Amino acid sequence: MATVLCPSSTSFAFRNEPQLCSSKFSAVIGGNTHSPLWLSCIRPGNPARNHFQLKSLNGHPLNAVSSHDGLAGSSLAKEDSKPQPTEGSFPLSDSECTGSNLSITVVGASGDLARKKIFPALFALYYEDCLPENFLVFGYARTKMTDEELRNMISQTLTCRIDKRENCEDKMDQFLKRCFYHSGMYNSEDNFSDLDCKLKEKEGGKLSNRLFYLSIPPNIFVDVVRCASLKASSKNGWTRVIVEKPFGRDSESSSELTRCLKQYLTEDQIFRIDHYLGKELVENLSVLRFSNLVFEPLWSRNYIRNVQLIFSEDFGTEGRGGYFDNYGIIRDIMQNHLVQILALFAMEPPVSLDAEDIRNEKVKVLRSMRPIQLENVVIGQYKGHNKGGKSFPGYANDPTVPKGSLTPTFAAAALFIDNARWDGVPFLMKAGKALHTKRAEIRVQFRHVPGNLFKRNFGTDLDKATNELVLRVQPDEAIYLKINNKVPGLGMRLDRSDLNLLYKARYPREIPDAYERLLLDAIEGERRLFIRSDELDAAWALFTPLLKEIENKKVAPELYPYGSRGPVGAHYLAARHNVRWGDLGNED
């Protein structure tokens, strides 16, 4: 089988160039010491992807336990704290390449997220030969199901969306044969002990690395982690756990969740996933800024007038209102997706591309942010609306939503970073459901040209004379820069034009889903796109006082029609900071 190119990552490089994904990974074994590292084993005739051991910032292998984690005695911690071989100590042999297993357990396998995202992402990685040769997938949930029933469920969501270079049906069949199911309670150590027995049976006594994906409600995270730690962790390799948001509802609940998880896991074993950090355009943000001389000198208050982070969905809660009502749009979108993008955008150049260096800079940004004032926030809730002969129900009409709910489905906020680079620059966030379009984008509006010779040609609307950089995260990924240009002809007429990089035109190959990238990173031990506990604390410290004030004062959200551009108050908020939302123009 030929080696194929696919996006990958290590602790030392962004995915800014194609890298080989081999289907053979290995764990280095020396004497009686087992290293749980995955190292690429390249097939004959192919150049090696990496000939050295991957290490974290402190010099330890990626899976090693740092002494500052303060964890002792847990089963999972002991496995990851074993002595590690030093760099270059052990050559790779063919037997070592095939002598280890990767076992991926999807906890909550019968849920929508697992069916629609996680299993398809695992299949895509398998299709791209990015999984080790000896891997298996286990589904775990309370639902009674056989292996064959799980495979039938999974097969309905698998697609060959990448390309057709191989027989897709054959690849699906091969993947499904590696999928198994175990039914059990989430808080039962006996059930997880039974899962461990099944895993050992399939692993055949080989060196085993285990990844648990918690696709479950947060109130049972700790139960699952406890049971997995005590009864189903790997005895001779690494064990890692991917945790889905929400990570609590406020600073207190988030800190308590982290404290409970760290009773059984080290920080290095916890992979808090925010799938927006795996989006292609978000990952490209740092590349765009730090590898292009034309942008980095402009990346400050001297040239940037404002930054806008916009997230909108063209559908409502649609039967999920009961779940959404517990969180609202600020917790669901702003506190994680948008604030993480903001931190990446605004951070200082990191010392290196190591995960810890990048996350250190993000934390500095979050800790430099000014407390959010209620006067700089607008919240809204969509109401029913008739359009084109069709009736769209309001949020309050959702039967799963409590009567009289004040939970916002829209929020806009002005945030400020009190440091030398960004002092005085408003960062405007806007997120909402049931709006006129579906989009997620970053818009950078630059300052007016001082002493602009052509201001007379723009009339009174000087905003049209400013440059704007737009990174469209979804849909139709693109990067474009709005510039002023002379319209061809005898007169002096100016026009606003776009320098446009449309991804689907420039890169015909389909962009991998964010879950594929993040799952691969977790398997390889790369933490750059995952959220560290102090990042989480800083993000919650920013939003918790605001959320408590909104809830304590019972602030009523402004109603806006389903399918509109949102509450009018959002436009007044922007105007107060001398900003106009960039997504309101006809060209957008």
Side-chain angles (χ1 to χ4, degrees):
M1 186 182 295
T3 301
V4 296
L5 293 176
C6 84
S8 184
S9 69
T10 68
S11 63
F12 64 93
F14 282 118
R15 291 191 191 86
N16 55 351
E17 59 181 355
Q19 298 199 18
L20 290 170
C21 266
S22 171
S23 66
K24 296 183 179 181
F25 291 66
S26 75
V28 183
I29 304 175
N32 294 325
T33 301
H34 298 282
S35 167
L37 286 175
W38 288 108
L39 298 180
S40 300
C41 297
I42 307 300
R43 301 164 200 159
N46 291 322
R49 176 179 162 199
N50 296 313
H51 288 289
F52 51 88
Q53 199 173 44
L54 304 183
K55 291 189 175 182
S56 65
L57 177 64
N58 59 13
H60 296 296
L62 283 171
N63 62 299
V65 178
S66 302
S67 59
H68 59 72
D69 284 322
L71 177 72
S74 85
S75 173
L76 291 183
K78 289 176 182 177
E79 274 119 43
D80 266 15
S81 60
K82 293 177 182 178
Q84 304 299 326
T86 57
E87 179 177 337
S89 297
F90 306 101
L92 295 173
S93 68
D94 188 65
S95 62
E96 288 170 340
C97 286
T98 58
S100 59
N101 278 297
L102 171 64
S103 300
I104 303 170
T105 301
V106 180
V107 182
S110 58
D112 281 351
L113 178 64
R115 287 190 303 107
K116 296 177 180 178
K117 290 292 185 180
I118 302 171
F119 287 120
L122 289 171
F123 171 66
L125 291 176
Y126 173 68
Y127 190 92
E128 288 288 291
D129 293 330
C130 290
L131 294 179
E133 187 173 278
N134 299 315
F135 83 92
L136 58 94
V137 178
F138 256 87
Y140 185 98
R142 291 173 296 194
T143 305
K144 298 294 183 182
M145 198 185 308
T146 64
D147 293 347
E148 198 57 39
E149 287 172 335
L150 174 74
R151 292 164 184 163
N152 289 337
M153 182 191 78
I154 295 173
S155 65
Q156 296 172 14
T157 57
L158 300 187
T159 59
C160 293
R161 59 127 186 90
I162 306 169
D163 57 50
K164 298 282 186 179
R165 67 176 177 277
E166 293 189 49
N167 188 311
C168 182
E169 293 297 327
D170 288 347
K171 296 289 282 189
M172 281 188 184
D173 290 342
Q174 293 165 21
F175 175 77
L176 291 172
K177 287 177 182 177
R178 296 169 179 257
C179 296
F180 305 93
Y181 186 77
H182 182 73
S183 175
M185 302 300 293
Y186 295 129
N187 60 353
S188 170
E189 293 184 16
D190 290 340
N191 291 158
F192 274 86
S193 182
D194 294 339
L195 171 66
D196 181 60
C197 291
K198 286 189 176 182
L199 287 169
K200 287 178 178 176
E201 178 186 345
K202 301 297 181 184
E203 291 162 352
K206 297 178 182 178
L207 181 69
S208 172
N209 297 294
R210 294 182 179 177
L211 176 67
F212 290 85
Y213 195 117
L214 305 192
S215 177
I216 51 177
N219 60 309
I220 51 178
F221 282 168
V222 178
D223 285 338
V224 170
V225 167
R226 172 178 55 81
C227 295
S229 166
L230 298 176
K231 299 299 181 181
S233 59
S234 174
K235 302 300 184 291
N236 55 10
W238 53 251
T239 305
R240 297 172 184 150
V241 178
I242 298 178
V243 183
E244 270 280 351
K245 76 173 184 71
F247 312 115
R249 297 187 77 255
D250 50 31
S251 292
E252 292 79 11
S253 58
S254 175
S255 296
E256 178 64 13
L257 176 60
T258 297
R259 186 191 66 80
C260 291
L261 291 178
K262 285 188 176 182
Q263 292 180 12
Y264 308 101
L265 300 170
T266 69
E267 176 65 29
D268 285 345
Q269 292 173 284
I270 304 171
F271 288 72
R272 299 175 188 84
I273 190 170
D274 183 336
H275 72 274
Y276 255 72
L277 293 181
K279 298 280 188 182
E280 187 67 38
L281 261 295
V282 175
E283 191 166 17
N284 194 30
L285 180 59
S286 297
V287 178
L288 183 75
R289 175 182 170 188
F290 296 126
S291 68
N292 293 287
L293 183 61
V294 68
F295 290 122
E296 175 57 19
L298 307 180
W299 221 260
S300 73
R301 63 187 299 273
N302 296 327
Y303 296 98
I304 292 177
R305 187 160 54 116
N306 67 81
V307 180
Q308 301 174 21
L309 298 104
I310 298 171
F311 175 97
S312 65
E313 293 177 334
D314 56 1
F315 54 88
T317 53
E318 298 178 350
R320 295 182 65 252
Y323 168 82
F324 181 84
D325 201 74
N326 289 322
Y327 295 96
I329 198 72
I330 296 177
R331 291 184 176 93
D332 193 40
I333 303 298
M334 280 190 169
Q335 183 274 335
N336 41 73
H337 298 336
L338 295 189
V339 84
Q340 284 291 322
I341 294 174
L342 184 154
L344 272 175
F345 178 94
M347 71 180 184
E348 294 297 316
V351 175
S352 74
L353 298 181
D354 282 335
E356 297 311 305
D357 287 338
I358 292 173
R359 298 195 291 186
N360 287 343
E361 296 303 330
K362 288 169 61 183
V363 171
K364 289 178 185 177
V365 171
L366 295 175
R367 289 176 176 170
S368 299
M369 296 189 72
R370 191 183 305 171
I372 305 173
Q373 303 298 319
L374 186 58
E375 63 186 23
N376 283 329
V377 177
V378 172
I379 59 174
Q381 188 183 98
Y382 67 88
K383 62 181 180 179
H385 182 58
N386 293 318
K387 186 176 180 180
K390 187 176 180 181
S391 178
F392 296 92
Y395 177 74
N397 301 129
D398 187 328
T400 63
V401 172
K403 187 175 181 180
S405 171
L406 298 178
T407 299
T409 60
F410 175 97
L415 292 80
F416 294 88
I417 302 172
D418 290 333
N419 63 17
R421 182 182 290 269
W422 298 112
D423 185 35
V425 177
F427 284 76
L428 268 68
M429 286 185 182
K430 181 169 66 172
K433 290 183 172 292
L435 297 174
H436 70 294
T437 187
K438 178 181 179 180
R439 75 167 74 204
E441 60 188 16
I442 308 163
R443 307 185 78 100
V444 185
Q445 294 185 350
F446 292 91
R447 295 192 180 278
H448 298 106
V449 176
N452 192 338
L453 295 173
F454 300 97
K455 61 183 178 181
R456 187 177 304 173
N457 300 79
F458 287 100
T460 58
D461 193 354
L462 291 179
D463 280 336
K464 288 188 176 179
T466 61
N467 303 120
E468 185 176 26
L469 175 66
V470 182
L471 287 80
R472 190 191 302 143
V473 178
Q474 69 175 26
D476 300 325
E477 294 86 349
I479 301 172
Y480 57 97
L481 178 65
K482 295 181 179 294
I483 63 167
N484 300 316
N485 186 56
K486 179 183 177 297
V487 177
L490 298 177
M492 179 57 71
R493 189 161 63 91
L494 301 189
D495 183 31
R496 202 180 193 197
S497 303
D498 293 346
L499 299 179
N500 195 349
L501 170 60
L502 186 62
Y503 270 53
K504 64 182 179 183
R506 177 65 178 85
Y507 306 106
R509 179 170 177 156
E510 187 166 346
I511 295 173
D513 184 76
Y515 281 92
E516 297 169 33
R517 175 175 288 108
L518 294 168
L519 277 165
L520 184 61
D521 278 358
I523 291 168
E524 294 184 340
E526 169 58 64
R527 294 168 176 81
R528 179 171 47 85
L529 299 178
F530 294 89
I531 302 170
R532 204 168 61 189
S533 61
D534 55 345
E535 282 185 79
L536 190 60
D537 292 342
W540 275 122
L542 182 64
F543 281 93
T544 295
L546 170 69
L547 290 165
K548 286 187 175 180
E549 186 175 4
I550 290 174
E551 290 166 0
N552 291 339
K553 292 182 177 180
K554 294 185 171 14
V555 178
E558 181 182 343
L559 298 180
Y560 62 95
Y562 192 118
S564 68
R565 292 181 180 269
V568 175
H571 306 288
Y572 287 113
L573 172 66
R576 193 183 310 143
H577 297 283
N578 198 27
V579 175
R580 182 166 65 179
W581 291 108
D583 60 338
L584 301 182
N586 293 331
E587 67 273 21
D588 295 299

